[in-house]
Amino acid sequence: MAKNKKTHYSGIGGQAVLEGVMMKNGDQYAVAVRKPDGEIDIQVEEYKGFCADKKFTKLPFIRGIFSFIDSLVIGMKVTMHSASFYEEEEESSTNGTEKKSEKKVESKSDDIMMGFTVALSVIIAVALFMVLPFLLSDLLGKVVRNASLIAIFEGLIRILIFVGYIAAISLMEDIKRLYMYHGAEHKCINCIERGRPLEVKNVMRSSRQHKRCGTSFLLFVVLVSVIVFFFIRVDNLALKIIIRLLLVPVIAGISYELIRLAGRSDNVLIQMISRPGLWLQKLTTREPDEDMVRVAIASVEAVFDWRTYLIEEFGYTDEHLQIQEESEP
């Protein structure tokens, strides 16, 4: 086995869901959920992506926009899937025949509701983190005439609102448990990308922070917007808002390229710009227990051959992996 402490890019990513973890590898994603009876349910699906057949969606700075849309769609799908187990538990009095007939009707309405929810989520996020800071900073313009100072003030408000929102929801009990699964997801990816066999003991000692995390992406969006908006100098209030809204996809595209680069490089400069996102992840991740880690491992193994990955990237042998797995209690 080759001794290499550097991180090797695996290409997998995921997110935490209610009592579970989703892992995505290429066009496939798996959702592993700990059901109320204690068993782990695993569902594997394929998702090609929004406008995946169009070549322009793969272009730098453009691909980030479509990747963000895809992550929202998959995120809603897997969240609804994980929640369904606990809805079924609450509605256990409903007999199986009724449920079967209702599922066909519900599937179409669920798709419509999911699309509406995704659109509404984007609108709320843009209003809260983009428009609101601008409106608050515009009030300062009535007493301060320095445009640069107002732009800096707008950026500070945006950062404070974002970090404050993250800190506030992290205090909720249900969110705390979700963040534990978020930690399990990161630990699994860090485990294999650091060249360790995907076993509970190795995952538990891996870091719960990861440079490709969605939290880091959102922080990049906020920070990039601060820089971009600093250079917008128009007098008309409505035009200022319109320009900010039009620049949201541009900012998302730039942020995606930064997070993509961060996930593929151990460069000192990249590590420095990734540091704020890793700090913020101390709020959005928590240390998981071993049962949560087992759920995350099940999700990884459903879509990713980590054994072949370790052999190809880190020089493991089949014999060494077999010894490692046999030693796992």
Side-chain angles (χ1 to χ4, degrees):
M1 179 186 65
K3 291 184 178 180
N4 193 335
K5 292 185 178 180
K6 287 188 176 181
T7 299
H8 287 218
Y9 176 70
S10 66
I12 60 172
Q15 74 170 69
V17 297
L18 180 63
E19 293 301 321
V21 171
M22 180 277 286
M23 288 288 185
K24 186 175 185 295
N25 180 31
D27 292 334
Q28 275 197 324
Y29 68 89
V31 196
V33 179
R34 179 78 69 181
K35 298 194 294 185
D37 62 8
E39 291 185 7
I40 300 176
D41 177 88
I42 304 171
Q43 177 175 307
V44 179
E45 297 285 348
E46 189 173 36
Y47 180 76
K48 290 290 186 180
F50 184 71
C51 296
D53 57 332
K54 306 296 183 182
K55 289 185 179 180
F56 72 89
T57 63
K58 308 298 181 185
L59 295 173
F61 300 104
I62 299 293
R63 57 192 171 193
I65 301 167
F66 293 94
S67 177
F68 180 64
I69 294 171
D70 290 340
S71 66
L72 287 176
V73 172
I74 294 177
M76 287 303 304
K77 280 179 178 288
V78 298
T79 299
M80 290 169 65
H81 172 73
S82 63
S84 67
F85 291 102
Y86 292 86
E87 290 170 0
E88 286 174 11
E89 182 73 6
E90 292 173 2
E91 298 170 3
S92 56
S93 57
T94 308
N95 64 55
T97 308
E98 288 176 338
K99 283 184 179 179
K100 212 168 187 180
S101 62
E102 288 173 0
K103 276 185 178 178
K104 289 183 180 178
V105 179
E106 288 178 354
S107 62
K108 288 185 177 180
S109 61
D110 284 348
D111 288 342
I112 295 171
M113 183 58 69
M114 184 178 66
F116 175 76
T117 305
V118 169
L120 184 62
S121 299
V122 172
I123 292 170
I124 292 173
V126 170
L128 182 61
F129 302 121
M130 295 294 176
V131 179
L132 180 60
F134 165 70
L135 293 176
L136 292 176
S137 65
D138 189 64
L139 295 175
L140 183 67
K142 295 178 180 179
V143 292
V144 177
R145 297 302 176 187
N146 189 310
S148 296
L149 188 60
I150 294 172
I152 292 171
F153 184 66
E154 179 188 347
L156 289 174
I157 293 175
R158 182 170 292 109
I159 294 170
L160 287 174
I161 289 176
F162 178 69
V163 175
Y165 172 80
I166 294 292
I169 65 171
S170 69
L171 300 176
M172 299 167 62
E173 286 302 319
D174 289 343
I175 296 298
K176 285 179 182 178
R177 192 159 179 83
L178 185 72
Y179 284 174
M180 290 173 76
Y181 276 105
H182 191 194
E185 174 225 327
H186 282 186
K187 280 174 171 284
C188 280
I189 298 174
N190 278 321
C191 178
I192 57 178
E193 290 189 339
R194 284 287 181 179
R196 303 182 189 122
L198 193 64
E199 301 161 353
V200 173
K201 63 180 181 182
N202 289 334
V203 174
M204 289 298 289
R205 68 188 182 95
S206 297
S207 172
R208 73 175 201 262
Q209 277 89 45
H210 196 282
K211 288 187 291 184
R212 294 200 315 273
C213 175
T215 303
S216 294
F217 169 74
L218 292 175
L219 183 59
F220 272 134
V221 168
V222 171
L223 295 177
V224 170
S225 71
V226 171
I227 297 170
V228 172
F229 294 161
F230 181 83
F231 295 99
I232 297 177
R233 302 295 169 90
V234 292
D235 295 327
N236 186 277
L237 179 64
L239 188 57
K240 284 181 180 178
I241 295 175
I242 291 171
I243 291 174
R244 278 162 172 74
L245 294 177
L246 292 175
L247 284 174
V248 168
V250 176
I251 292 166
I254 296 171
S255 301
Y256 177 81
E257 296 305 320
L258 289 173
I259 202 78
R260 191 173 185 272
L261 182 61
R264 289 167 168 75
S265 174
D266 283 324
N267 181 280
V268 175
L269 178 61
I270 296 300
Q271 289 183 10
M272 287 176 61
I273 65 173
S274 298
R275 193 63 58 188
L278 297 177
W279 290 336
L280 193 59
Q281 286 175 45
K282 291 183 179 181
L283 288 176
T284 62
T285 63
R286 292 179 183 270
E287 287 296 327
D289 59 34
E290 291 190 355
D291 283 342
M292 292 175 173
V293 164
R294 289 187 179 93
V295 172
I297 289 175
S299 186
V300 173
E301 292 186 327
V303 292
F304 185 76
D305 185 357
W306 60 267
R307 292 172 182 83
T308 299
Y309 168 82
L310 290 184
I311 290 170
E312 293 176 352
E313 295 289 330
F314 291 91
Y316 276 81
T317 63
D318 288 324
E319 292 77 11
H320 186 268
L321 285 174
Q322 187 175 355
I323 293 171
Q324 290 281 321
E325 290 176 36
E326 288 174 353
S327 67
E328 172 76 356

